[in-house]
Amino acid sequence: MSDPQIVYLNGEFTPIEEARVPVLDRGFIFGDGVYEVVPVYGRQPFRWSQHYTRLERSLGRLRIDNPFDADGWRGLVDALIARHPWDDQFIYLQVTRGVARRDHAFPKGVTPTVFGMSSALPRVPAEQLARGVSAVSLPDERWLNCDIKSTSLLGNVLARQSAIDAGAAECVMYRDGFLTEGSSSNIWVVRDARVLAPPRDRLILEGIRYGLLQELCESQGLPFEMRPISRAEVESADELMLSSATKEVLAISRLDGRPVGSGEPGPVFARLHAAYQQAKATSASTAPRASR
Ligand code: PMP
């Protein structure tokens, strides 16, 4: 039997099977909410302050009152970790605008719905690390506020399904001929030993690994450039990579059925992956905070 999952919903901790939200919750009716996914290594949330800052920013963009302060959120994350037996977990946090009679306009005086859960963090399969994954190119048909980590994910859901239908793990999306991101990951391009990433603007979600990989490039002495990247540059890249909370950093070794570079995970991937593992180990070994 798998370990029981205890979730947090509006002030209560309950078994996941018993947690309920009213049908008029605006998360259910409109997808009117935001979320975060925080990896936990050795029972320590990884890059927590960056995740919290992004959550605060997403709430602010949707004009949803932040239900907790920074300590309150951290307390919730720590409580979820403590209730589960796994050393490596991932925490899912979601806030919706709340429950109200159905009307597009913001309701007055509603209390946001707050949900938190933890799951065992699946290991990235060794085969994917060794061989890389395949991806397909797709037009980016999402809205123009992709920097908000919103639960309205239909564009991402359809894009991911198109990738799966084509036998690939992820998609690489373009808007007006320039790279944006994957359905649930940021995409990295290596050309001439330089790591390229698309600008941090409203057309992509700035992953917490975006800042992290930028730091790792700096510490590894890898030149890093943030700029618009054309489709032709992606298609003739030496290496492609994706990053996300649960996939960490992975090589994309085939794009649209063709090999990327050598067709094997490349040397820049190997360096960034090793540096990433080091960053995780350092975070996991930090002593629990004495105070908040
Ligand atoms: N872009 C999109 C669209 C995502 O959904 C995600 C994460 N799931 C990312 C990028 C990567 O963000 P992070 O590194 O914070 O997981």
Side-chain angles (χ1 to χ4, degrees), residues 181-243:
E181 59 183 341
S183 68
S184 61
S185 57
N186 290 116
I187 304 288
W188 305 78
V189 177
V190 180
R191 294 177 60 86
D192 305 323
R194 306 179 80 75
V195 178
L196 313 181
R200 293 181 163 114
D201 56 20
R202 289 191 176 193
L203 299 184
I204 65 164
L205 180 78
E206 183 186 332
I208 300 310
R209 269 125 292 278
Y210 192 115
L212 174 60
L213 287 198
Q214 186 175 0
E215 282 171 28
L216 297 180
C217 284
E218 276 156 25
S219 68
Q220 294 293 307
L222 290 164
F224 175 86
E225 261 177 61
M226 192 190 327
R227 62 165 175 80
I229 304 165
S230 71
R231 181 163 179 166
E233 287 179 296
V234 175
E235 289 178 342
S236 58
D238 300 322
E239 295 180 42
L240 293 178
M241 296 175 282
L242 61 79
S243 65

Side-chain angles (χ1 to χ4, degrees), residues 89-290:
Q89 311 183 12
F90 68 99
I91 304 283
Y92 177 89
L93 303 172
Q94 178 174 322
V95 183
T96 76
R97 198 178 304 279
V99 180
R101 188 176 59 82
R102 186 180 182 280
D103 180 0
H104 288 58
F106 297 170
K108 294 215 165 51
V110 285
T111 306
T113 300
V114 183
F115 173 61
M117 74 177 161
S118 180
S119 309
L121 184 68
R123 270 181 177 276
V124 179
E127 156 87 9
Q128 291 189 354
L129 276 178
R131 313 255 342 255
V133 294
S134 57
V136 287
S137 304
L138 287 180
D140 192 337
E141 296 177 340
R142 301 173 303 162
W143 71 333
L144 297 172
N145 292 299
C146 296
D147 59 319
I148 304 173
K149 198 162 171 66
S150 158
T151 57
S152 295
L153 284 171
L154 210 39
N156 306 61
V157 165
L158 293 177
R160 169 63 67 81
Q161 191 57 41
S162 294
I164 302 291
D165 291 345
E170 182 52 302
C171 58
V172 171
M173 295 191 285
Y174 302 92
R175 201 189 281 271
D176 301 329
F178 288 91
L179 172 67
T180 55
E181 59 183 341
S183 68
S184 61
S185 57
N186 290 116
I187 304 288
W188 305 78
V189 177
V190 180
R191 294 177 60 86
D192 305 323
R194 306 179 80 75
V195 178
L196 313 181
R200 293 181 163 114
D201 56 20
R202 289 191 176 193
L203 299 184
I204 65 164
L205 180 78
E206 183 186 332
I208 300 310
R209 269 125 292 278
Y210 192 115
L212 174 60
L213 287 198
Q214 186 175 0
E215 282 171 28
L216 297 180
C217 284
E218 276 156 25
S219 68
Q220 294 293 307
L222 290 164
F224 175 86
E225 261 177 61
M226 192 190 327
R227 62 165 175 80
I229 304 165
S230 71
R231 181 163 179 166
E233 287 179 296
V234 175
E235 289 178 342
S236 58
D238 300 322
E239 295 180 42
L240 293 178
M241 296 175 282
L242 61 79
S243 65
S244 80
T246 52
K247 297 288 182 197
E248 304 178 349
V249 56
L250 267 183
I252 297 175
S253 48
R254 296 187 76 78
L255 180 64
D256 300 323
R258 289 185 291 274
V260 175
S262 68
E264 299 288 330
V268 172
F269 162 74
R271 279 171 72 182
L272 287 175
H273 182 261
Y276 196 109
Q277 299 313 305
Q278 187 57 49
K280 273 166 59 175
T282 307
S283 159
S285 66
T286 39
R289 293 158 318 134

